[in-house]
Amino acid sequence: MVIITEANEGAPSTDDVEIDPHEYLELAPFVGKEFITIDDAREFYNSYAYRRGFSIREAGGYTSAKGEVTSVRWLCSNEGFSKNYKEAQKALENSTSQTTLEKEKAPIRTGCKARFRIRFEGVWKVSVFEDDHNHPLVVSPSKKRSLRSHRSMGPEDKEIIKGMHAQNIESAKIHEFLGDRHGGKKNLRFKKKDVTNVITSENQQLVDKNVEATLVYFQKKQEEDPEFFYDVEVDEGGQLRNLFWVDGRARRAFQEFGDVVTFDTTYRTNRFLMPLAPFIGVNHHRRCVFFGIAMLRSEHVAGFVWLFKTWVKAMYGKKPRAIITDQDPSMRIAIKEVFPNTVHRCCQWHVMRKAREHLGAIYNLKPDFKKELKSVINHSNTVSEFEEKWRAMLDKHKLMQNQHLKNMYEARSEWVPAYFRDYFFAGMSSSQRSESMNAALKIWTNSHSSMYRLVLHLEKMVEGKWQQESDEDIASLTAVHKWSTLIRYEKDAFEVYTSNVMEQFKNNLKNTQLGRIIEIERDAIYEVSINYHPAFGSLKKPQTYEVHINKMEELVCCSCKGFEFEGLLCSHALKVMHHVDIEHLPTRYIMKRWCKDANANAKR
């Protein structure tokens, strides 16, 4: 049995203790009871309300001409009537459902007359106390804690909520964690909704700061990192139009890995609906590396021109040799203006996604067409071969008049692989590295995220990428080689390549063991066919490639253009080199960007 005394008249205990109803009179307020402060009176009545099983709310009081509070009163939360009381009562009477009190969307007031009032007479005294309730009282201790006036949250819990929210942990999981921390949810004095309210309040404070807080944050970053760069463009009314930022390490990394980048503006999950536009490249571990991030208010030519020029300035004037984007016409115009000597390729994945949308009916009617379309696009080694196969395919399936296929063909030089085999793209043909970043960002943010919060999450993502790179640097330097073949080039490659690049190179070496070689001209021209096997790679129809080689000068060139496109010797070239007894991997075919020390300058 628990008796409320002067020492424990505060918040109710978290122990599930039931009190004999006959003893409520001993615990109840009475006219004339004295309190030192208003808070003492409020805590006492709320504690009593908890024991009885109802919630209270303050209903104001009286103030003297001097502005001093002389009287305060509290009511049962069911005092008065809701506006929709009659409708709710009628619906309740006609309902056949067994809706519980917990599932009611809003409490229905019943005109309860219970009240508690104090007046100041040198000390605060109870002047009115009415305790007759015209509604059921809550009995379960766990449900009592859900009543509004009995819900409370300490400052420590609030700080935990803010900290966990900053790590993008959702409200329900935060509530679960706090429940475990307090020995079970039954001991919590607040609900999941209260957790959400704390988060909403925190977000609102950030929204109010927003752009100003973001720029202050960037200024602080510049103090910590002198090479941190940011720039903003405002409209005629002084409102933010475009924003770009990049850290110093990324600016240095671009000097090593900025030969090819992808740029995408499809991600719009922020409360301003401003497209998020990251510049992403590939580092020496074949991982994504950020070369700057922008937020654009509009995707017009002028906006892209401003961004591209700002980005070049941030990259110390260096421009990429190749860039992959979607088929946005405004972006295309801006690229031609700012990067006239950069090879521009449109994302093949986006092109094929549109094809699925427009050619879905044909795919269903002609099951073999989809497979043949992909083969023509991906397995044509030259432009002339592609165009010949394309015409034959349309003629075979009687699709010469299909408008979407006409559009794809007219834009072929912007996206078909055969048109880009002579250019280095680090093995990329799409902007899906940007897409993967967008997918990751959606886990961290939502449509209510403020700009400041969005920037903080992006910075965490970028920092995570740098940490991953550092971890893989160490792993590559300390790796122990496990032989996959008996070909001597494997040892040469292991000494210079990072672990991830080495894995790709070993796959190329494995495939040489499945190949067939025909000598066309001794030590000069060979035909190579690789019969793919599931144990070594994807199962594909064997193709024949022509390899030209000069043993004396250690020069090799394959018609698949694998080295030109990816920066690694293909299995066809490696097979011929091994066949003519070139002893070591020629240094001219080892790109520094794939080597263990490729980022030495960027790490300084």
Side-chain angles (χ1 to χ4, degrees):
M1 203 70 63
V2 174
I3 304 297
I4 298 179
T5 66
E6 294 297 323
N8 63 10
E9 286 181 354
S13 167
T14 58
D15 297 325
D16 288 351
V17 179
E18 295 292 349
I19 296 180
D20 188 332
H22 296 291
E23 298 185 22
Y24 276 125
L25 290 176
E26 299 179 18
L27 304 174
F30 55 87
V31 175
K33 182 173 176 58
E34 298 180 355
F35 299 95
I36 298 174
T37 66
I38 295 175
D39 288 340
D40 290 341
R42 193 265 180 198
E43 289 179 6
F44 176 83
Y45 186 51
N46 194 47
S47 181
Y48 171 75
Y50 176 81
R51 298 296 180 182
R52 284 277 276 150
F54 67 96
S55 177
I56 68 172
R57 72 175 192 274
E58 189 170 329
Y62 295 95
T63 304
S64 69
K66 296 181 180 180
E68 298 175 343
V69 177
T70 60
S71 175
V72 181
R73 63 178 179 146
W74 291 270
L75 308 172
C76 172
S77 292
N78 278 31
E79 183 272 342
F81 295 96
S82 303
K83 292 181 180 179
N84 62 344
Y85 174 72
K86 292 182 179 179
E87 291 82 353
Q89 276 295 98
K90 185 176 181 180
L92 191 61
E93 291 172 2
N94 296 333
S95 174
T96 58
S97 66
Q98 300 298 318
T99 305
T100 65
L101 286 175
E102 285 187 324
K103 294 183 179 179
E104 291 289 345
K105 292 185 177 180
I108 299 175
R109 297 183 185 180
T110 61
C112 183
K113 298 297 183 180
R115 64 196 61 220
F116 174 77
R117 187 173 75 176
I118 58 175
R119 292 185 61 180
F120 187 73
E121 300 174 4
V123 293
W124 291 98
K125 290 185 177 182
V126 178
S127 60
V128 175
F129 174 58
E130 296 182 17
D131 200 32
D132 292 329
H133 296 268
N134 65 352
H135 56 88
L137 298 177
V138 178
V139 175
S140 167
S142 61
K143 291 183 179 180
K144 287 179 181 181
R145 296 188 186 95
S146 296
L147 297 174
R148 184 175 295 276
S149 70
H150 307 307
R151 283 151 51 185
S152 64
M153 184 183 298
E156 185 178 350
D157 286 333
K158 289 182 179 179
E159 289 304 312
I160 291 175
I161 291 170
K162 293 175 183 178
M164 295 182 74
H165 171 60
Q167 299 302 317
N168 203 47
I169 300 174
E170 60 188 41
S171 300
K173 292 183 178 178
I174 296 176
H175 191 245
E176 291 280 352
F177 171 80
L178 291 172
D180 291 341
R181 189 170 183 271
H182 287 276
K185 285 186 180 180
K186 62 184 178 62
N187 293 325
L188 290 180
R189 292 285 303 281
F190 52 87
K191 303 166 71 174
K192 183 171 76 70
K193 176 65 176 176
D194 299 304
V195 174
T196 302
N197 289 340
V198 172
I199 293 172
T200 300
S201 176
E202 176 74 2
N203 285 341
Q204 187 58 48
Q205 292 179 23
L206 293 174
V207 169
D208 293 339
K209 297 177 181 178
N210 212 346
V211 177
E212 179 183 353
T214 302
L215 297 182
V216 169
Y217 173 74
F218 286 160
Q219 291 168 4
K220 182 180 178 181
K221 293 285 289 185
Q222 273 190 334
E223 293 175 2
E224 300 170 353
D225 175 9
E227 287 188 273
F228 184 90
F229 179 97
Y230 76 94
D231 201 358
V232 295
E233 183 184 34
V234 297
D235 58 23
E236 296 77 5
Q239 298 296 311
L240 178 69
R241 178 181 289 164
N242 297 314
L243 172 67
F244 171 79
W245 73 97
V246 60
D247 62 37
R249 185 168 178 178
R251 299 175 74 186
R252 297 191 298 273
F254 183 78
Q255 309 309 307
E256 306 296 337
F257 309 120
D259 39 18
V260 56
V261 298
T262 68
F263 178 73
D264 183 77
T265 60
T266 59
Y267 183 75
R268 294 173 182 268
T269 306
N270 57 75
R271 69 191 316 271
F272 310 100
L273 293 180
M274 293 175 70
L276 189 67
F279 292 90
I280 296 179
V282 181
N283 67 10
H284 54 318
H285 298 291
R286 299 171 69 92
R287 304 289 191 187
C288 291
V289 55
F290 288 85
F291 294 136
I293 302 172
M295 291 182 70
L296 307 174
R297 188 164 294 282
S298 65
E299 297 178 83
H300 296 143
V301 174
F304 285 128
V305 168
W306 175 87
L307 175 58
F308 293 152
K309 287 183 176 180
T310 301
W311 181 59
V312 172
K313 179 181 177 182
M315 297 300 116
Y316 303 107
K318 182 176 179 178
K319 299 179 181 180
R321 290 164 51 191
I323 186 169
I324 302 175
T325 72
D326 60 26
Q327 292 179 293
D328 186 286
S330 297
M331 196 184 300
R332 185 187 302 116
I333 295 172
I335 287 174
K336 286 183 179 179
E337 178 178 338
V338 183
F339 308 123
N341 299 317
T342 296
V343 179
H344 179 204
R345 179 177 186 175
C346 291
C347 172
Q348 183 178 337
W349 182 83
H350 281 112
V351 173
M352 297 308 294
R353 183 181 65 178
K354 289 182 180 178
R356 289 196 301 271
E357 295 171 0
H358 289 86
L359 304 176
I362 296 176
Y363 287 170
N364 291 331
L365 292 173
K366 301 175 181 289
D368 294 336
F369 175 72
K370 181 179 180 180
K371 183 177 180 180
E372 187 172 347
L373 176 64
K374 290 184 176 181
S375 177
V376 170
I377 292 170
N378 296 319
H379 299 150
S380 296
N381 291 324
T382 65
V383 171
S384 59
E385 181 183 352
F386 164 76
E387 295 187 345
E388 181 181 343
K389 288 182 176 179
W390 183 273
R391 286 191 293 269
M393 175 187 67
L394 297 188
D395 185 60
K396 172 184 175 181
H397 294 281
K398 296 180 174 54
L399 295 171
M400 297 296 290
Q401 301 306 313
N402 184 277
Q403 187 58 50
H404 188 73
L405 289 171
K406 284 183 178 181
N407 294 340
M408 290 176 68
Y409 183 76
E410 289 174 0
R412 63 193 181 283
S413 63
E414 298 176 359
W415 65 276
V416 173
Y419 288 83
F420 299 96
R421 294 200 184 280
D422 289 319
Y423 302 102
F424 179 70
F425 277 89
M428 294 188 294
S429 61
S430 72
S431 60
Q432 280 189 293
R433 288 183 181 267
S434 297
E435 296 284 347
S436 64
M437 187 280 292
N438 294 342
L441 189 60
K442 288 177 182 177
I443 299 174
W444 286 84
T445 61
N446 56 48
S447 60
H448 302 292
S449 297
S450 70
M451 179 182 294
Y452 179 66
R453 177 69 69 186
L454 184 63
V455 168
L456 291 181
H457 286 319
L458 284 165
E459 287 295 290
K460 288 182 180 180
M461 286 183 62
V462 172
E463 185 58 37
K465 291 296 182 182
W466 291 133
Q467 185 59 53
Q468 181 187 42
E469 182 178 300
S470 296
D471 293 343
E472 292 187 328
D473 282 343
I474 296 172
S476 293
L477 291 172
T478 58
V480 177
H481 182 56
K482 297 180 181 179
W483 288 92
S484 298
T485 70
L486 297 178
I487 302 176
R488 48 189 170 268
Y489 306 141
E490 187 173 341
K491 182 177 182 298
D492 297 336
F494 174 75
E495 291 177 353
V496 293
Y497 287 146
T498 60
S499 296
N500 291 343
V501 175
M502 186 62 197
E503 286 302 310
Q504 180 60 47
F505 186 81
K506 285 199 296 186
N507 286 336
N508 290 352
L509 279 177
K510 288 179 187 177
N511 287 333
T512 65
Q513 301 177 56
L514 300 171
R516 175 178 59 86
I517 186 169
I518 299 176
E519 183 181 285
I520 305 300
E521 183 179 339
R522 184 177 177 81
D523 292 341
I525 305 174
Y526 294 85
E527 282 188 356
V528 179
S529 296
I530 299 295
N531 299 305
Y532 287 89
H533 187 279
F536 299 99
S538 58
L539 186 63
K540 300 178 182 177
K541 180 180 179 180
Q543 283 188 287
T544 299
Y545 297 92
E546 188 172 273
V547 178
H548 291 247
I549 193 164
N550 183 324
K551 180 178 179 180
M552 294 299 296
E553 297 185 19
E554 295 187 336
L555 294 173
V556 64
C557 180
C558 178
S559 60
C560 79
K561 298 300 179 72
F563 179 77
E564 288 80 358
F565 180 74
E566 190 173 13
L568 289 175
L569 284 170
C570 62
S571 56
H572 324 112
L574 289 168
K575 186 168 186 67
V576 175
M577 287 168 55
H578 183 62
H579 178 77
V580 300
D581 291 325
I582 292 179
E583 294 185 3
H584 295 284
L585 195 63
T587 56
R588 73 173 75 234
Y589 297 115
I590 299 176
M591 292 188 69
K592 182 183 177 183
R593 67 153 7 265
W594 297 133
C595 294
K596 298 175 183 178
D597 62 346
N599 68 337
N601 292 329
K603 291 177 65 177
R604 73 174 189 272

